[in-house]
Short mmCIF file of all heavy atoms in Angstrom, two decimals:
data_model
loop_
_atom_site.label_atom_id
_atom_site.label_comp_id
_atom_site.label_asym_id
_atom_site.label_seq_id
_atom_site.Cartn_x
_atom_site.Cartn_y
_atom_site.Cartn_z
N GLY S 1 -87.02 -27.98 -6.52
CA GLY S 1 -86.21 -26.81 -6.22
C GLY S 1 -85.34 -26.41 -7.39
O GLY S 1 -85.27 -27.09 -8.42
N PHE S 2 -84.66 -25.28 -7.22
CA PHE S 2 -83.72 -24.83 -8.24
C PHE S 2 -82.38 -24.48 -7.60
O PHE S 2 -82.28 -24.26 -6.39
CB PHE S 2 -84.27 -23.65 -9.04
CG PHE S 2 -84.54 -22.40 -8.24
CD1 PHE S 2 -83.51 -21.58 -7.79
CD2 PHE S 2 -85.86 -22.01 -7.98
CE1 PHE S 2 -83.77 -20.41 -7.08
CE2 PHE S 2 -86.13 -20.85 -7.26
CZ PHE S 2 -85.08 -20.04 -6.82
N ALA S 3 -81.33 -24.46 -8.45
CA ALA S 3 -79.99 -24.11 -8.00
C ALA S 3 -79.35 -23.23 -9.06
O ALA S 3 -79.71 -23.29 -10.25
CB ALA S 3 -79.15 -25.36 -7.77
N PHE S 4 -78.41 -22.42 -8.64
CA PHE S 4 -77.67 -21.57 -9.58
C PHE S 4 -76.27 -21.35 -9.01
O PHE S 4 -76.02 -21.53 -7.82
CB PHE S 4 -78.38 -20.23 -9.79
CG PHE S 4 -78.64 -19.46 -8.52
CD1 PHE S 4 -77.67 -18.61 -7.98
CD2 PHE S 4 -79.86 -19.59 -7.86
CE1 PHE S 4 -77.92 -17.91 -6.80
CE2 PHE S 4 -80.11 -18.89 -6.68
CZ PHE S 4 -79.14 -18.06 -6.15
N GLY S 5 -75.34 -20.97 -9.86
CA GLY S 5 -73.98 -20.71 -9.40
C GLY S 5 -73.24 -19.79 -10.33
O GLY S 5 -73.47 -19.80 -11.56
N MET S 6 -72.35 -18.99 -9.75
CA MET S 6 -71.57 -18.05 -10.56
C MET S 6 -70.18 -17.90 -9.96
O MET S 6 -69.96 -18.12 -8.76
CB MET S 6 -72.27 -16.69 -10.61
CG MET S 6 -72.29 -15.94 -9.29
SD MET S 6 -73.46 -14.58 -9.25
CE MET S 6 -74.95 -15.44 -8.71
N GLY S 7 -69.22 -17.53 -10.81
CA GLY S 7 -67.88 -17.22 -10.34
C GLY S 7 -67.80 -15.76 -9.92
O GLY S 7 -68.18 -14.86 -10.68
N ILE S 8 -67.33 -15.50 -8.70
CA ILE S 8 -67.32 -14.12 -8.19
C ILE S 8 -66.30 -13.28 -8.95
O ILE S 8 -66.56 -12.10 -9.27
CB ILE S 8 -67.02 -14.10 -6.68
CG1 ILE S 8 -68.10 -14.89 -5.93
CG2 ILE S 8 -66.97 -12.66 -6.16
CD1 ILE S 8 -67.87 -14.98 -4.44
N GLU S 9 -65.13 -13.85 -9.29
CA GLU S 9 -64.14 -13.08 -10.03
C GLU S 9 -64.70 -12.56 -11.34
O GLU S 9 -64.43 -11.41 -11.72
CB GLU S 9 -62.90 -13.94 -10.32
CG GLU S 9 -61.94 -14.10 -9.15
CD GLU S 9 -62.34 -15.23 -8.23
OE1 GLU S 9 -63.45 -15.78 -8.38
OE2 GLU S 9 -61.54 -15.58 -7.35
N ARG S 10 -65.48 -13.40 -12.01
CA ARG S 10 -66.06 -12.97 -13.29
C ARG S 10 -66.97 -11.76 -13.09
O ARG S 10 -66.96 -10.82 -13.90
CB ARG S 10 -66.86 -14.15 -13.87
CG ARG S 10 -67.53 -13.86 -15.22
CD ARG S 10 -66.52 -13.90 -16.36
NE ARG S 10 -67.14 -13.64 -17.63
CZ ARG S 10 -67.71 -14.57 -18.40
NH1 ARG S 10 -67.75 -15.82 -17.99
NH2 ARG S 10 -68.20 -14.25 -19.58
N ILE S 11 -67.75 -11.77 -12.04
CA ILE S 11 -68.65 -10.65 -11.77
C ILE S 11 -67.87 -9.39 -11.44
O ILE S 11 -68.19 -8.29 -11.92
CB ILE S 11 -69.61 -11.00 -10.61
CG1 ILE S 11 -70.41 -12.27 -10.91
CG2 ILE S 11 -70.55 -9.82 -10.34
CD1 ILE S 11 -71.29 -12.19 -12.11
N VAL S 12 -66.80 -9.52 -10.64
CA VAL S 12 -65.97 -8.36 -10.30
C VAL S 12 -65.34 -7.77 -11.56
O VAL S 12 -65.31 -6.55 -11.75
CB VAL S 12 -64.86 -8.75 -9.29
CG1 VAL S 12 -63.99 -7.53 -8.96
CG2 VAL S 12 -65.45 -9.32 -8.02
N MET S 13 -64.85 -8.65 -12.43
CA MET S 13 -64.22 -8.17 -13.66
C MET S 13 -65.21 -7.42 -14.54
O MET S 13 -64.86 -6.44 -15.20
CB MET S 13 -63.62 -9.36 -14.42
CG MET S 13 -62.43 -9.99 -13.70
SD MET S 13 -61.89 -11.55 -14.43
CE MET S 13 -61.07 -10.96 -15.91
N LEU S 14 -66.46 -7.86 -14.54
CA LEU S 14 -67.49 -7.17 -15.32
C LEU S 14 -67.82 -5.82 -14.72
O LEU S 14 -67.88 -4.80 -15.43
CB LEU S 14 -68.75 -8.03 -15.39
CG LEU S 14 -68.66 -9.35 -16.17
CD1 LEU S 14 -69.97 -10.11 -16.04
CD2 LEU S 14 -68.34 -9.08 -17.63
N LEU S 15 -68.03 -5.80 -13.41
CA LEU S 15 -68.45 -4.56 -12.75
C LEU S 15 -67.37 -3.48 -12.80
O LEU S 15 -67.68 -2.29 -12.88
CB LEU S 15 -68.82 -4.84 -11.29
CG LEU S 15 -70.11 -5.64 -11.07
CD1 LEU S 15 -70.27 -5.98 -9.60
CD2 LEU S 15 -71.33 -4.84 -11.55
N HIS S 16 -66.10 -3.89 -12.74
CA HIS S 16 -65.01 -2.91 -12.65
C HIS S 16 -64.11 -2.92 -13.88
O HIS S 16 -63.03 -2.30 -13.86
CB HIS S 16 -64.18 -3.18 -11.39
CG HIS S 16 -64.97 -3.05 -10.12
ND1 HIS S 16 -65.39 -1.83 -9.63
CD2 HIS S 16 -65.43 -3.98 -9.25
CE1 HIS S 16 -66.06 -2.02 -8.51
NE2 HIS S 16 -66.11 -3.31 -8.26
N GLN S 17 -64.57 -3.59 -14.95
CA GLN S 17 -63.85 -3.58 -16.22
C GLN S 17 -62.37 -3.97 -16.04
O GLN S 17 -61.46 -3.28 -16.51
CB GLN S 17 -63.95 -2.18 -16.86
CG GLN S 17 -65.37 -1.75 -17.18
CD GLN S 17 -66.01 -2.59 -18.27
OE1 GLN S 17 -65.65 -2.49 -19.44
NE2 GLN S 17 -66.95 -3.43 -17.91
N MET S 18 -62.14 -5.08 -15.37
CA MET S 18 -60.79 -5.59 -15.15
C MET S 18 -60.52 -6.71 -16.15
O MET S 18 -61.36 -7.57 -16.38
CB MET S 18 -60.64 -6.10 -13.72
CG MET S 18 -60.87 -5.01 -12.68
SD MET S 18 -60.95 -5.62 -11.00
CE MET S 18 -59.26 -6.18 -10.77
N GLY S 19 -59.33 -6.70 -16.74
CA GLY S 19 -59.05 -7.61 -17.84
C GLY S 19 -58.22 -8.82 -17.50
O GLY S 19 -57.96 -9.64 -18.38
N ASP S 20 -57.79 -8.98 -16.24
CA ASP S 20 -56.88 -10.09 -15.92
C ASP S 20 -57.23 -10.66 -14.55
O ASP S 20 -57.12 -9.97 -13.53
CB ASP S 20 -55.43 -9.61 -15.92
CG ASP S 20 -54.43 -10.76 -15.99
OD1 ASP S 20 -54.69 -11.80 -15.37
OD2 ASP S 20 -53.39 -10.60 -16.65
N ILE S 21 -57.65 -11.92 -14.49
CA ILE S 21 -58.06 -12.54 -13.23
C ILE S 21 -56.89 -12.71 -12.26
O ILE S 21 -57.07 -12.77 -11.04
CB ILE S 21 -58.72 -13.91 -13.52
CG1 ILE S 21 -59.48 -14.41 -12.28
CG2 ILE S 21 -57.68 -14.93 -13.98
CD1 ILE S 21 -60.29 -15.67 -12.54
N ARG S 22 -55.67 -12.74 -12.79
CA ARG S 22 -54.50 -12.93 -11.92
C ARG S 22 -54.28 -11.75 -10.97
O ARG S 22 -53.63 -11.90 -9.94
CB ARG S 22 -53.25 -13.14 -12.78
CG ARG S 22 -53.25 -14.46 -13.53
CD ARG S 22 -52.16 -14.55 -14.57
NE ARG S 22 -52.39 -13.61 -15.66
CZ ARG S 22 -51.71 -13.64 -16.81
NH1 ARG S 22 -50.79 -14.55 -17.01
NH2 ARG S 22 -51.98 -12.76 -17.76
N MET S 23 -54.83 -10.61 -11.31
CA MET S 23 -54.68 -9.42 -10.45
C MET S 23 -55.27 -9.64 -9.07
O MET S 23 -54.82 -9.04 -8.09
CB MET S 23 -55.34 -8.21 -11.12
CG MET S 23 -54.71 -7.81 -12.43
SD MET S 23 -55.64 -6.51 -13.27
CE MET S 23 -55.35 -5.13 -12.19
N PHE S 24 -56.27 -10.51 -8.94
CA PHE S 24 -56.93 -10.74 -7.65
C PHE S 24 -56.02 -11.48 -6.67
O PHE S 24 -56.26 -11.45 -5.46
CB PHE S 24 -58.21 -11.54 -7.84
CG PHE S 24 -59.26 -10.82 -8.64
CD1 PHE S 24 -59.77 -11.37 -9.80
CD2 PHE S 24 -59.74 -9.58 -8.24
CE1 PHE S 24 -60.73 -10.71 -10.55
CE2 PHE S 24 -60.70 -8.91 -8.97
CZ PHE S 24 -61.21 -9.48 -10.13
N PHE S 25 -55.00 -12.15 -7.17
CA PHE S 25 -54.18 -12.99 -6.31
C PHE S 25 -52.74 -12.48 -6.17
O PHE S 25 -51.93 -13.11 -5.50
CB PHE S 25 -54.15 -14.43 -6.86
CG PHE S 25 -55.53 -15.02 -6.98
CD1 PHE S 25 -56.21 -14.98 -8.18
CD2 PHE S 25 -56.14 -15.60 -5.89
CE1 PHE S 25 -57.48 -15.52 -8.30
CE2 PHE S 25 -57.42 -16.14 -5.99
CZ PHE S 25 -58.08 -16.10 -7.20
N GLU S 26 -52.42 -11.35 -6.78
CA GLU S 26 -51.06 -10.83 -6.74
C GLU S 26 -50.81 -9.90 -5.57
O GLU S 26 -49.68 -9.55 -5.28
CB GLU S 26 -50.74 -10.11 -8.06
CG GLU S 26 -50.67 -11.05 -9.25
CD GLU S 26 -50.53 -10.32 -10.57
OE1 GLU S 26 -50.69 -9.07 -10.59
OE2 GLU S 26 -50.24 -10.98 -11.59
N ASN S 27 -51.86 -9.45 -4.88
CA ASN S 27 -51.73 -8.55 -3.74
C ASN S 27 -50.95 -7.28 -4.08
O ASN S 27 -50.15 -6.79 -3.29
CB ASN S 27 -51.07 -9.26 -2.56
CG ASN S 27 -51.94 -10.34 -1.97
OD1 ASN S 27 -53.16 -10.19 -1.91
ND2 ASN S 27 -51.34 -11.44 -1.56
N ASP S 28 -51.18 -6.77 -5.27
CA ASP S 28 -50.55 -5.51 -5.68
C ASP S 28 -51.33 -4.35 -5.05
O ASP S 28 -52.51 -4.14 -5.36
CB ASP S 28 -50.59 -5.40 -7.21
CG ASP S 28 -49.75 -4.24 -7.73
OD1 ASP S 28 -49.62 -3.22 -6.99
OD2 ASP S 28 -49.22 -4.33 -8.84
N LYS S 29 -50.68 -3.60 -4.17
CA LYS S 29 -51.36 -2.53 -3.45
C LYS S 29 -51.89 -1.46 -4.40
O LYS S 29 -52.88 -0.80 -4.10
CB LYS S 29 -50.42 -1.91 -2.43
CG LYS S 29 -50.11 -2.83 -1.26
CD LYS S 29 -49.11 -2.22 -0.31
CE LYS S 29 -49.67 -0.96 0.35
NZ LYS S 29 -48.70 -0.39 1.31
N ARG S 30 -51.24 -1.28 -5.52
CA ARG S 30 -51.71 -0.25 -6.47
C ARG S 30 -53.11 -0.58 -6.97
O ARG S 30 -53.91 0.32 -7.22
CB ARG S 30 -50.73 -0.14 -7.64
CG ARG S 30 -49.36 0.41 -7.26
CD ARG S 30 -48.40 0.29 -8.41
NE ARG S 30 -48.21 -1.11 -8.81
CZ ARG S 30 -47.45 -1.49 -9.84
NH1 ARG S 30 -46.82 -0.59 -10.57
NH2 ARG S 30 -47.31 -2.78 -10.12
N MET S 31 -53.38 -1.86 -7.15
CA MET S 31 -54.72 -2.27 -7.58
C MET S 31 -55.70 -2.22 -6.42
O MET S 31 -56.81 -1.70 -6.54
CB MET S 31 -54.67 -3.68 -8.18
CG MET S 31 -55.98 -4.15 -8.81
SD MET S 31 -57.19 -4.89 -7.67
CE MET S 31 -56.43 -6.49 -7.41
N LEU S 32 -55.30 -2.74 -5.25
CA LEU S 32 -56.21 -2.84 -4.11
C LEU S 32 -56.61 -1.47 -3.58
O LEU S 32 -57.73 -1.29 -3.10
CB LEU S 32 -55.54 -3.66 -3.00
CG LEU S 32 -55.23 -5.12 -3.36
CD1 LEU S 32 -54.45 -5.78 -2.24
CD2 LEU S 32 -56.50 -5.90 -3.63
N GLU S 33 -55.71 -0.49 -3.66
CA GLU S 33 -56.01 0.84 -3.11
C GLU S 33 -57.12 1.54 -3.89
O GLU S 33 -57.72 2.49 -3.40
CB GLU S 33 -54.75 1.70 -3.11
CG GLU S 33 -53.78 1.31 -1.97
CD GLU S 33 -52.47 2.08 -2.06
OE1 GLU S 33 -52.24 2.75 -3.10
OE2 GLU S 33 -51.69 2.02 -1.10
N GLN S 34 -57.40 1.07 -5.10
CA GLN S 34 -58.48 1.69 -5.89
C GLN S 34 -59.85 1.45 -5.27
O GLN S 34 -60.80 2.12 -5.60
CB GLN S 34 -58.45 1.14 -7.32
CG GLN S 34 -57.17 1.43 -8.07
CD GLN S 34 -57.20 0.80 -9.44
OE1 GLN S 34 -58.10 1.06 -10.26
NE2 GLN S 34 -56.22 -0.03 -9.74
N PHE S 35 -59.95 0.48 -4.35
CA PHE S 35 -61.24 0.10 -3.79
C PHE S 35 -61.45 0.67 -2.38
O PHE S 35 -62.38 0.28 -1.70
CB PHE S 35 -61.36 -1.42 -3.77
CG PHE S 35 -61.33 -2.04 -5.14
CD1 PHE S 35 -60.14 -2.39 -5.73
CD2 PHE S 35 -62.52 -2.23 -5.85
CE1 PHE S 35 -60.12 -2.94 -6.98
CE2 PHE S 35 -62.50 -2.78 -7.11
CZ PHE S 35 -61.29 -3.14 -7.69
N LYS S 36 -60.59 1.61 -1.96
CA LYS S 36 -60.71 2.16 -0.61
C LYS S 36 -62.02 2.90 -0.40
O LYS S 36 -62.56 2.93 0.70
CB LYS S 36 -59.55 3.11 -0.33
CG LYS S 36 -58.28 2.37 0.11
CD LYS S 36 -57.20 3.34 0.55
CE LYS S 36 -56.00 2.60 1.11
NZ LYS S 36 -54.95 3.52 1.56
N SER S 37 -62.53 3.51 -1.43
CA SER S 37 -63.72 4.34 -1.27
C SER S 37 -65.00 3.54 -1.42
O SER S 37 -66.09 4.10 -1.26
CB SER S 37 -63.71 5.47 -2.31
OG SER S 37 -63.68 4.95 -3.63
N LEU S 38 -64.89 2.24 -1.73
CA LEU S 38 -66.10 1.45 -1.98
C LEU S 38 -66.63 0.85 -0.69
O LEU S 38 -65.90 0.65 0.26
CB LEU S 38 -65.79 0.33 -2.99
CG LEU S 38 -65.35 0.82 -4.38
CD1 LEU S 38 -65.08 -0.39 -5.28
CD2 LEU S 38 -66.41 1.71 -5.02
#
């Protein structure tokens, strides 16, 4: 068999061009509201 693994934060940062992983854990509404339409 085979196995693979990836970090989800890294993928999100790539897809949405985000430069700081700490933003995911700060609960800043200004950042989170950008994803309402997704």
Side-chain angles (χ1 to χ4, degrees):
F2 62 74
F4 56 86
M6 68 195 88
I8 300 177
E9 281 85 350
R10 180 77 180 273
I11 303 299
V12 179
M13 292 170 74
L14 293 176
L15 289 174
H16 299 288
Q17 299 293 288
M18 299 171 67
D20 196 323
I21 195 173
R22 291 169 293 192
M23 297 173 69
F24 296 122
F25 302 96
E26 292 173 349
N27 292 324
D28 190 330
K29 290 177 64 178
R30 293 172 299 177
M31 187 275 285
L32 297 174
E33 284 175 349
Q34 298 177 58
F35 297 88
K36 278 187 175 181
S37 59
L38 298 180

